[in-house]
Amino acid sequence: MNDFIQHILNGLSLGSIYALIALGYTMVYGILQLINFAHSDVYMMGAFGSYYVAMYLGIDRQPGLSTLAILLGSAMLVCALIGLTIERLAYRPLRNAPKLNILITAIGVSLFLQYFAQAVFGADPKVFPQVLHNETLFNIAAVEVKTLDVAVFAVTIITMVVLNFVIYRTKMGQAMRAVAQNMRVAALMGVNPNRVISITFMVGSALAGVGSVLVGMKYPKIDPLMGTMIGLKAFVAAVLGGIGNLPGAVLGGLLMGFSEEMVVAYWSSTYRDALAFGILIVILIFKPAGLMGRSTTEKV
Amino acid sequence: MITRRSLGFVVLSATLALATGCTKRNKNEIVIGHFGSMTGAEATFGKSTDEGIRLAVEETNAAGGIKGKQIRLITMDNQGKAEEAAAVATRLIEQEKVTALLGEVASSRSLAVAPIAQKKKVPMITPSSTNPRVTEMGDYIFRTCFIDPFQGLVMAKFAYENLKLRKVAVLRAVNSDYSMGLSKVFVEKFTEMGGQIVADTSYQSQDVDFKAQLTQIKSAGPEGIFIPGYYTEIGLIARQAAELGLKIPLMGGDGWDSPKLFEIGQETINGNYFSNHYSNESSDPVAVAFMESFKKRFNKSPDGLSAAGYDAAKVLFAAMEKAPDLSGPAIRDAIAATKDYPGVTGTITINQQRNAVKSAVVVQVQGTTNKYITTINP
C-alpha cells in the first residue's frame, strides 16, 4: 500500500512537469494551429539561461525562496525573449505559407537551437543549481512528501489557473481568442494579430522557462539535448488532453506521468517510452480531438 | 534572411573542417589516433583518457620518441555515440593513416570500431572498455584493463565478504552492454556465494526519473543496491534514493569514476563504493610518479580513466619500440607479447584472449576524491 501511494506521488510529480510543458504547446497551437516543435528547445535554453544567471550571481549553492524566484524570473525572461525572436524571425515571414512549411521550419529551429547550444555551452552535462532545500513536509501513511514534489505540483496548478484567468477574463485573452477564431476578422475589429501572436509566444515560452527550473531542481543534470524526450512526451500529453485545451494539457500531462510510473513500477522500464507513443497512436486513432477536446474545439 | 546567413555559416564551417582535415604526411613522425567521447553525456571519460594519453605521448617524445620518430596524437570526438565512433575511426584510419588506435572507454563505442580496425589491420588498444566481446572482435584488438566478469566478481565478493551483505538489489541499464555484463556476473557470483538478489530492475541510460524502480527496490528490503551504470545517471539515482529514504550502500563499477558524479549526486553519493582501475592513494612507485607528473602537467589529480589511458598508450609505445617495423602485423605481435609491463594501474600481461590480467581496487566516494578501500586480485 505504501508503495502504491509512493508511486502515485512520483507519478504526480513527473506528470506535473509534462503538464507544464504541454501548456506551452497547447497555447501556441490554440492560436496558430502550429505545433511549435522548438518549444522543447526553448525549455532547454531556459535551463541554461537560469544556470548561467545563478553562476554569475553566485547563488548556485544558496537554496531558498529568493533563489527560486530569481531562477524562475530569469528562465522566464530568457525563454520569452527566445520565443519572441523565433516567432519574429522564423514563423512570422511564413504566416501565410502552407502549414507544412511552418512545421518544417519549427523542426529546423529546434535542431538549430540544439546544435547551437552544444556549440556554445558544450555537450557535456552541467549541474543545475540547488534551488530549494528538499525537506519532508508531511507524511501520508509511511510515505514522505517532499518540498520539491509539492512545489512542482503547486506551480503547475497555479500556472494553469493564472493562464485560464488571462485567457477568459482579460482583454488580451479576448484578443487571443479572437485571433484564434479568425485572424482576418479580428484584425478588422481592431486587434493587432501580430502583437497578439507575439505575446502568445512569449507567454507560452515563459511557461517552458518555468518548466525548465522545476526540472532542474528535481533532476539537476542539464544538457543541450535535454528537451528532446521531455518535449515529445509533453507533446503527447497535449494531444492526449485535446491540443488547444488548457485543462486538457494538465490532465494529459498528469495521465502521462501516472501511466509511465505505473508501467515502470509494475512492468518494466523498457516499455516506458513505448507506452508514451503508444498512447499517442491510440488517441489519434480513436479520439483525435483528445480527451477533453471537442471536434470543433474553441481554441484557447 | 536568417536562413541565408545560417546557410553561409554552415558552408564556412564545412570548408574549415575540410581544410583542417587535409594533413601533410611527415616521414619523421608516427601518427596515433584516439577516438573518445570528448563531448556528450560521458564527456569526462574522453577528456580524462585523452589527458592520460597526451601525458604518455609527451613523455615518450621528450625521451626521444619511438625508433627516433616523434609521435603525433590525433584525438577525434565521437560525441558519446557508437555510430559517430565508427565514423571518426574510419577517418583516422583512411585519411589520417594512423599507425594504431587508442579508445574507447565505453564498450558500445569500442565494439563499433573494433571490426573496422580489424579489417584494416590497424592495432587497437582500448584503455578501459571492460565488455568481454570487445577483444573477441579480432586479433588486432587488445585491452589493458580487466573485463566485466572480473568487475562483477570483485563487487560480489566485496558486497558479500567486506560489507557482509546477504540481500542485494540490482538496478541495471538495459541498453548498455557494460551495465548488463556487470549485472549478469554480479548476480551469478553473489548467489553462488550464498547471497540473495531480492530485486532485479532496470532503467534506460538517459532516463532522469528512477523513482518507480527505487520504490520497488525499497519495498523488497535489500541491504545494498548494485548499480553498474555511468556517472550521469548514478548521481541522479543516489539523489532520488535519498529522497525515498533508502539509506543503504550503493555499489557500482568504473563507470562511476568522474568528478561529475559528486557534482550531480552531492552528499547523497558519499560513502558509496565502486570498483576501479586504480586509486590515487596507491603507494606503488610507478603510480606515484604518474600522479606527480600528471599534477604538474594538468594541475589536478588524475582519475582512473586518465591512468588507464596512460597505461594503454605506454603499452602501445613499448610494443612499437620492440616491433621489428611499424607495420600493423608487427605491432600487433609485439602487443600480444606484452608481459609483466609495470603500469600505473597494475602489472599488465596480455593473455591469449588479448585481455590484461590484473587486480582491481574498490574505492569509496568521498566528495570529489575516492578513498581506497581494498584491492581484489583475479
Side-chain angles (χ1 to χ4, degrees), chain A residues 280-295:
Chain A
L280 179 65
I281 293 169
V282 170
I283 280 286
L284 288 179
I285 292 174
F286 295 104
K287 209 166 181 325
L291 294 179
M292 291 180 74
R294 282 156 287 162
S295 41

Side-chain angles (χ1 to χ4, degrees), chain A residues 93-268:
Chain A
L94 294 172
R95 186 72 34 89
N96 297 312
K99 287 265 142 58
L100 188 62
N101 298 21
I102 310 182
L103 184 72
I104 294 169
T105 309
I107 295 171
V109 171
S110 162
L111 290 175
F112 171 77
L113 285 177
Q114 283 176 17
Y115 290 94
F116 171 82
Q118 287 198 21
V120 175
F121 309 135
D124 55 322
K126 306 251 180 320
V127 181
F128 200 77
Q130 289 187 291
V131 182
L132 280 183
H133 286 291
N134 198 15
E135 283 153 7
T136 307
L137 285 182
F138 52 88
N139 281 14
I140 303 178
V143 177
E144 297 178 345
V145 180
K146 300 273 186 179
T147 328
L148 284 187
D149 297 330
V150 174
V152 171
F153 185 67
V155 169
T156 304
I157 298 299
I158 293 170
T159 311
M160 186 192 81
V161 171
V162 170
L163 266 188
N164 243 330
F165 177 81
V166 168
I167 284 161
Y168 290 102
R169 297 276 184 275
T170 65
K171 219 157 193 179
M172 183 36 80
Q174 204 172 18
M176 283 176 177
R177 282 179 292 143
V179 171
Q181 290 267 324
N182 191 323
M183 204 186 292
R184 290 221 173 103
V185 177
L188 288 176
M189 297 295 137
V191 176
N192 179 352
N194 278 340
R195 198 169 141 255
V196 171
I197 291 168
S198 290
I199 290 176
T200 310
F201 260 90
M202 287 176 73
V203 174
S205 304
L207 294 179
V210 175
S212 70
V213 173
L214 296 183
V215 172
M217 61 197 228
K218 241 177 97 65
Y219 312 111
K221 183 191 83 175
I222 59 172
D223 64 85
L225 300 182
M226 66 189 279
T228 317
M229 205 31 138
I230 215 160
L232 279 173
K233 300 263 179 79
F235 167 67
V236 176
V239 173
L240 174 64
I243 193 157
N245 181 312
L246 296 180
V250 173
L251 177 74
L254 293 179
L255 276 176
M256 282 281 295
F258 268 123
S259 20
E260 279 195 14
E261 174 78 17
M262 294 304 164
V263 163
V264 178
Y266 297 107
W267 200 5
S268 161

